[in-house]
Amino acid sequence: MAAEDQPDPDAPAGDADVSAKLFGTWEMGEIEYADPSTERYIQVTPVAHTAGRHASKQFKKSQISIVERFINRLMQTEDNTGKKQQSLNFVRDAFELIHERTEENPVQVLVTAVENAAPREETVRLKYGGISVPKAVDVAPQRRVDQALMMLAEGVYKDSFKTSTSVPEAIANQLVGAANYDVQTYAISQKEEKERVAAAAR
């Protein structure tokens, strides 16, 4: 193979072939984005098992498939630490459940859930002399996506740990709830709380 035909390892993941199907089933070519601010940070591509090769550069993580990033978040919880294949199987089964419930593309449901769960404001602590004062700040788009994935994964853990709810069912519950902006869903309730506290600190 000629050097010019070699794939660029630093090329954005968004340049991948979206005609391929996620898990051999789900289309990725017609995903709709409702939030233009986070669109560039939500890549919809096949799970590539990137093995953390983007971790050394600050913004490279946003070039990883949003599905793989969600799987990585799921395997950061206590009992699931490092078990990526297990987490991948959970997500594959959850996508089947989501499709059965909504008759929608589960990849679209995940993207909508991330957009809905991404907080727009949060608070920071500023020190004036010996006094600590909360201050409301806008959240950067990349951090919004990071926070949404974290809260969705935490919601799955809380929904499935020491309960009769299976992990795929908990994933489906959290993603469908967040996609529908159900305030009873953990990620949406946490987002609303963050924004309520930030509004009070303006």
Side-chain angles (χ1 to χ4, degrees):
M1 183 183 288
E4 59 271 15
D5 296 331
Q6 295 279 353
D8 181 6
D10 292 325
D15 293 344
D17 181 13
V18 294
S19 64
K21 293 184 178 181
L22 180 68
F23 301 139
T25 305
W26 312 113
E27 298 284 352
M28 297 177 293
E30 298 182 357
I31 302 300
E32 296 179 359
Y33 297 90
D35 188 345
S37 68
T38 57
E39 180 176 351
R40 64 176 293 193
Y41 300 100
I42 301 177
Q43 297 293 335
V44 179
T45 58
V47 176
H49 297 294
T50 52
R53 63 174 172 265
H54 297 299
S56 61
K57 298 182 180 178
Q58 182 179 3
F59 298 106
K60 287 288 187 178
K61 63 183 176 183
S62 295
Q63 297 176 4
I64 302 173
S65 165
I66 193 68
V67 180
E68 182 174 358
R69 293 190 66 194
F70 181 56
I71 290 169
N72 291 344
R73 268 297 180 182
L74 289 174
M75 73 175 191
Q76 290 174 5
T77 52
E78 294 177 16
D79 295 338
N80 212 25
T81 302
K83 300 176 182 177
K84 185 162 187 176
Q85 190 60 47
Q86 177 175 284
S87 297
L88 188 147
N89 291 336
F90 286 154
V91 170
R92 180 188 287 115
D93 294 343
F95 276 17
E96 295 285 350
L97 290 174
I98 291 170
H99 182 66
E100 288 176 11
R101 293 184 191 179
T102 65
E103 297 185 354
E104 294 181 21
N105 185 341
V107 182
Q108 178 68 67
V109 173
L110 171 61
V111 169
T112 305
V114 170
E115 290 178 332
N116 286 348
R120 293 164 292 190
E121 281 188 306
E122 63 183 351
T123 55
V124 295
R125 290 277 176 179
L126 301 179
K127 281 199 171 182
Y128 296 100
I131 302 173
S132 182
V133 180
K135 175 70 174 176
V137 294
D138 293 333
V139 184
Q142 186 180 52
R143 179 169 170 79
R144 292 184 64 204
V145 174
D146 292 347
Q147 291 275 298
L149 290 170
M150 178 189 70
M151 291 186 294
L152 286 167
E154 286 178 354
V156 170
Y157 181 73
K158 291 179 182 296
D159 198 11
S160 61
F161 184 65
K162 292 186 178 179
T163 70
S164 59
T165 305
S166 67
V167 176
E169 188 177 350
I171 294 171
N173 291 342
Q174 293 297 316
L175 294 184
V176 172
N180 292 331
Y181 210 91
D182 180 359
V183 293
Q184 300 300 318
T185 304
Y186 179 84
I188 300 299
S189 67
Q190 290 297 300
K191 173 199 174 177
E192 291 283 327
E193 177 64 14
K194 281 178 177 284
E195 292 184 346
R196 184 190 65 78
V197 172
R202 285 178 190 160

